[in-house]
Amino acid sequence: MCDTLCSIQPGRTLFAKNSDRPVREVQLIEAHRRRDRGGELRTQYLSLADEGAAALIGARPDWLWGFEHGVNEHGVAIGNEKVWTVDDPNAAPPALIGMDLVRLGLERARSADHALDLMTALLERHGQGGIADAIDDEAYFSSFLIADPRSGWVLETSGRRWAARPVAAGSGAAISNRIGIRDDWTRASVDLRPGDDWDRFRDPQAWTGLADVRLATTRPVVDAAGPAPSPLDLRRVLRDHGQAARAIPATATRGLPDPAIEADGTGITVCMHVRGYQCTTSSMIAELRANGGDEPSVRAWVAMGSPCVSVYLPVFVEQGAAPLAPRALGEVATYGRFATLRERVELDPWDRDGSDEALASIREVLDPLEDELWEEAEQVAADPARRASFVEQSWARVDRALARLGV
């Protein structure tokens, strides 16, 4: 389960995603330099010709080659979602999985349109198949949100079939774990004719409540009829435990959702805490800028583990330069520290009034530090000479804060 959203604004696009995965799975955040083309590239289950790669920052479960989400030096951001369709993913032979397509799109694409072309061509040629959740031994198909500084696409798939709906300038989109395209697609595989309703590929037995309750939180944030969101607004909604459907209060991280999962979606929130089964394991916010200048065309903030017990660390991706992210975020031990904090708050007795002493004590340490890092990142963004040292020093400060919290 995941949530991805974007807002296409004058001069920039904001993109954000929470990646929800099994609680025992580790997810790493990595910076990768450009790679020259040539030779063979091994995805999770297939070997492909290596077309080279753009510089990028991406998040991946430690056993997978592909990414849950990421952003590249050309200002392309992509995230995927598990969807249930009438086609059986378990019947498909090992091929490409959703995370492969995210990474291949990021490695090769220079725009959202380019990414859509690449990803759908790969999908049609190689198909989808193979275990994508090793802990639960599950295969599944994916939907995707693709964005660049000026445009975006919602792409939904079922096996080799696909349909895509554009996200126009001045608007936004939010996707979750359900088919959402109807007859509003503008590009599709040959299986569809103009006017066809893509919803016919949605599994009618699939429970959509788990997605609908979260879409009721994320969609209003990027609705073109409302005020354009800021990165801070996206930070708050990615931490939501059920409050942001009404507003996006500064206290959105206070109190975990109800541990009981109900048919109406109670207990399912954007910052995921389905105890013992699934949780948010990585999160990203990206600002994709249409204009150059002294600052990099991409600004991003990444959080390891569950957003409510983590810090969104500023990172930088600039065309022609090495991407900058703390090396510690690529280490299993670092993920374990944030997982320990999540377990601490989930073990705290749940209080219906929304109070949560364990979570409040963690945010008392992490909130001031996060705000300081965001403010300082604004100052160093236009100074390439300072960015690398700032990124590593920012992790050193988070490391000390985690030590204060006993992890």
Side-chain angles (χ1 to χ4, degrees):
M1 293 186 280
C2 303
D3 292 283
T4 314
L5 57 159
C6 74
S7 172
I8 303 176
Q9 305 172 12
R12 70 174 184 177
T13 292
L14 297 184
F15 176 97
K17 182 185 173 184
N18 272 359
S19 169
D20 305 331
R21 300 285 303 183
V23 296
R24 300 191 306 278
E25 186 180 81
V26 173
Q27 191 161 163
L28 308 175
I29 300 170
E30 301 171 333
H32 292 269
R33 295 172 178 261
R34 284 183 178 179
R35 186 180 71 244
D36 293 333
R37 66 182 302 168
E40 192 173 75
L41 179 68
R42 182 67 184 178
T43 64
Q44 194 65 27
Y45 301 112
L46 298 182
S47 294
L48 308 176
D50 190 350
E51 300 295 332
L56 55 85
I57 291 174
R60 66 175 182 89
D62 65 340
W63 66 281
L64 288 178
W65 177 81
F67 291 146
E68 281 278 300
H69 54 256
V71 61
N72 75 16
E73 63 178 296
H74 304 298
V76 178
I78 309 174
N80 79 308
E81 312 273 333
K82 175 182 180 179
V83 293
W84 287 267
T85 75
V86 295
D87 296 308
D88 181 7
N90 295 298
L96 294 174
I97 58 175
M99 285 67 76
D100 291 332
L101 289 166
V102 171
R103 183 163 182 172
L104 289 165
L106 290 170
E107 288 194 344
R108 300 180 180 186
R110 291 178 171 268
S111 69
D113 287 352
H114 191 200
L116 179 67
D117 290 341
L118 289 166
M119 292 165 69
T120 54
L122 287 164
L123 179 67
E124 290 182 344
R125 180 176 180 182
H126 300 287
Q128 286 186 87
I131 297 300
D133 173 352
I135 289 176
D136 298 307
D137 197 34
E138 288 184 351
Y140 56 83
F141 301 137
S142 288
S143 65
F144 306 85
L145 186 57
I146 307 166
D148 67 23
R150 296 179 178 84
S151 64
W153 288 94
V154 174
L155 168 63
E156 297 182 349
T157 72
S158 181
R160 294 175 190 259
R161 299 187 184 101
W162 61 274
R165 179 183 67 218
V167 186
S171 66
I175 64 172
S176 189
N177 303 106
R178 60 159 299 160
I179 293 295
I181 294 175
R182 299 296 304 265
D183 60 359
D184 51 349
W185 54 269
T186 61
R187 295 186 56 187
S189 56
V190 295
D191 308 83
L192 273 72
R193 297 176 180 273
D196 281 354
D197 190 344
W198 172 254
D199 190 64
R200 77 171 190 261
F201 295 110
R202 177 177 56 85
D203 180 359
Q205 304 301 316
W207 177 45
T208 63
L210 64 89
D212 292 338
V213 69
R214 288 176 287 139
L215 288 169
T217 295
T218 56
R219 281 178 173 163
V221 178
V222 296
D223 190 332
S230 68
L232 181 60
D233 293 326
L234 298 186
R235 187 177 83 179
R236 288 171 176 165
V237 79
L238 292 176
R239 284 194 169 125
D240 177 61
H241 288 152
Q243 303 94 331
R246 300 185 297 272
I248 311 177
T251 57
T253 56
R254 302 301 185 254
L256 295 187
D258 192 330
I261 308 301
E262 306 291 349
D264 64 356
T266 297
I268 304 290
T269 55
V270 176
C271 185
M272 182 69 66
H273 294 271
V274 181
R275 278 66 153 182
Y277 173 63
Q278 199 158 98
C279 63
T280 303
T281 55
S282 186
S283 185
M284 182 186 80
I285 303 164
E287 180 184 28
L288 317 173
R289 300 186 178 212
N291 301 315
D294 293 332
E295 295 193 21
S297 58
V298 178
R299 297 278 307 282
W301 300 264
V302 295
M304 178 174 257
S306 295
C308 64
V309 293
S310 190
V311 175
Y312 282 95
L313 282 159
V315 297
F316 300 96
V317 186
E318 185 176 12
Q319 195 162 0
L324 300 173
R327 291 185 294 270
L329 299 184
E331 299 172 0
V332 173
T334 304
Y335 181 86
R337 298 170 77 181
F338 289 108
T340 297
L341 290 181
R342 174 185 54 78
E343 292 164 357
R344 183 183 299 175
V345 299
E346 289 182 351
L347 289 171
D348 209 32
W350 185 71
D351 194 328
R352 186 171 295 277
D353 69 8
S355 62
D356 191 317
E357 292 183 5
L359 182 55
S361 65
I362 291 168
R363 296 315 317 172
E364 285 175 3
V365 174
L366 299 184
D367 279 341
L369 172 58
E370 183 176 71
D371 288 340
E372 289 171 6
L373 293 175
W374 279 47
E375 290 176 7
E376 292 171 22
E378 293 298 319
Q379 300 170 17
V380 304
D383 188 351
R386 296 174 58 194
R387 290 180 206 147
S389 60
F390 166 76
V391 166
E392 288 304 322
Q393 289 170 10
S394 66
W395 171 252
R397 292 156 67 180
V398 173
D399 180 49
R400 291 193 292 270
L402 293 177
R404 284 179 58 194
L405 292 168
V407 296

